[in-house]
Amino acid sequence: MSTNVARKKRRKKRRRGKKLLVFLILMAVLTTVFYALSVTVLFNIKTVEIAGSSRYDVNRITELSGVVIGDNLIRMNPDTVSDKLCKALPYIGSAKVERKFPDKVRITVAECTPDIAYEYDSGYIIACGDKCLEIVDEKPEELVIVKAELSEFTAGFPIAIPSANKEALSELRKAASNSSVAGITYIDVSNISDLTIVCNNLLRLRIGTTESLEKKMNNAVSIIDTQRKKYGENVEGTIDLRYLSDESNLSYFTRESIWGKPSESVENAPNPSNSDAGSSSSTNSQ
């Protein structure tokens, strides 16, 4: 009796195994058929929706995205579309590409805001961070002008800047912001041993290296405040901070035109005191 029961159990187990195998084969076939249909007949694109753009026409964005009505939604690669748009249309900083089943593509773009302009020959490279947006002939008065070593640039792509120049620029801007150095119009990082900042096209800050940078920036703010109180908001001159360090409070101010024009008077006074940076900006008239 026990032998018959064992045989029945084995037969039942084999039948269940066969049913499971048939089910798995059927599911595989159905999955294959569904996938084949989804990338050929189903989910073909009927609508491309563009959002977030004010600079570029939606038809142009659609055209340059490479997304074509009738293309398959599943076969479309969102990352490829996004990368293509950011390079073809430089002022697009990012593009979020979404599949909206069954037949729609939604592209949401975020535009770059220019925040810097690099000098190049007789022109200027408008940039957002290190991305080249466009090249213009006229000086963009509303942007900080930067002089650096540039080896390669193409609109829509990152600007090739030596890492030392790039790092120095980042440190200068951060330190200036932290110290509330206002009105920066020009930064020269082409020589990382002789860094320069110009404020309001009137005052040149000779920084030297990035050593003791926070102290140099705080000192510059103090000197600028002192000289403007003495000579007015439009005072011109050079603030030499190259010798300022953690061990030294030596700094100079020379009242002159930084653009080589004749000046009414010149001040050039060292301050070798060991006082805080805030008081190391005094000058003596010659």
Side-chain angles (χ1 to χ4, degrees):
M1 185 71 178
S2 59
T3 303
N4 291 333
V5 171
R7 286 184 186 140
K8 287 180 180 180
K9 287 184 177 180
R10 286 196 293 271
R11 285 197 293 268
K12 186 179 288 186
K13 188 175 182 180
R14 283 197 294 269
R15 284 197 296 269
R16 284 201 300 266
K18 289 179 181 178
K19 288 180 180 178
L20 179 60
L21 178 61
V22 171
F23 175 76
L24 291 175
I25 292 173
L26 181 61
M27 289 300 296
V29 171
L30 290 175
T31 300
T32 302
V33 170
F34 179 77
Y35 178 76
L37 290 174
S38 67
V39 298
T40 54
V41 178
L42 304 176
F43 308 127
N44 289 337
I45 300 169
K46 293 182 180 178
T47 307
V48 180
E49 182 181 280
I50 308 294
S53 176
S54 59
R55 176 177 288 270
Y56 299 114
D57 180 76
V58 294
N59 292 326
R60 189 180 180 199
I61 294 175
T62 302
E63 178 184 355
L64 293 176
S65 72
V67 178
V68 178
I69 300 299
D71 283 354
N72 186 263
L73 196 60
I74 293 177
R75 294 171 67 181
M76 179 199 71
N77 187 321
D79 291 337
T80 299
V81 174
S82 176
D83 186 61
K84 186 181 294 185
L85 281 175
C86 290
K87 291 176 179 176
L89 300 171
Y91 276 89
I92 291 181
S94 64
K96 182 180 180 181
V97 182
E98 301 172 278
R99 299 185 182 99
K100 296 294 182 180
F101 291 98
D103 54 18
K104 180 190 289 186
V105 174
R106 177 180 295 164
I107 302 175
T108 305
V109 302
E111 297 180 345
C112 292
T113 300
D115 62 355
I116 207 165
Y118 291 93
E119 283 184 336
Y120 180 74
D121 290 343
S122 59
Y124 298 88
I125 303 167
I126 308 298
C128 177
D130 63 352
K131 182 182 182 182
C132 175
L133 303 181
E134 62 176 314
I135 301 165
V136 299
D137 294 327
E138 294 186 7
K139 181 179 177 181
E141 299 295 339
E142 71 281 4
L143 296 177
V144 176
I145 307 300
V146 173
K147 182 179 181 180
E149 293 182 19
L150 308 178
S151 57
E152 184 179 345
F153 54 89
T154 303
F157 293 81
I159 303 168
I161 307 172
S163 58
N165 285 184
K166 191 173 180 179
E167 184 177 349
L169 177 60
S170 176
E171 290 185 39
L172 281 176
R173 298 186 80 183
K174 181 179 179 181
S177 176
N178 291 341
S179 303
S180 299
V181 176
I184 295 177
T185 50
Y186 184 83
I187 302 175
D188 185 348
V189 294
S190 59
N191 182 351
I192 59 173
S193 297
D194 190 18
L195 303 171
T196 302
I197 289 177
V198 174
C199 296
N200 302 111
N201 292 318
L202 297 171
L203 294 166
R204 179 193 291 115
L205 314 184
R206 296 197 65 180
I207 309 298
T209 68
T210 56
E211 181 184 357
S212 304
L213 193 53
E214 293 288 347
K215 184 175 182 179
K216 291 176 179 178
M217 292 295 100
N218 288 329
N219 186 274
V221 170
S222 178
I223 294 176
I224 291 171
D225 183 61
T226 298
Q227 299 308 315
R228 284 178 174 168
K229 286 178 179 177
K230 289 175 66 175
Y231 301 108
E233 290 297 314
N234 293 326
V235 62
E236 297 183 70
T238 296
I239 302 171
D240 195 334
L241 305 161
R242 292 175 296 170
Y243 309 106
L244 199 66
S245 67
D246 293 340
E247 295 76 29
S248 170
N249 288 321
L250 186 63
S251 60
Y252 298 83
F253 174 72
T254 304
R255 192 157 69 95
E256 61 182 357
S257 170
I258 64 174
W259 306 114
K261 300 175 183 177
S263 57
E264 295 180 0
S265 62
V266 175
E267 295 181 359
N268 186 355
N271 189 341
S273 70
N274 292 320
S275 58
D276 292 338
S279 63
S280 63
S281 59
S282 61
T283 60
N284 298 318
S285 299
Q286 292 182 336

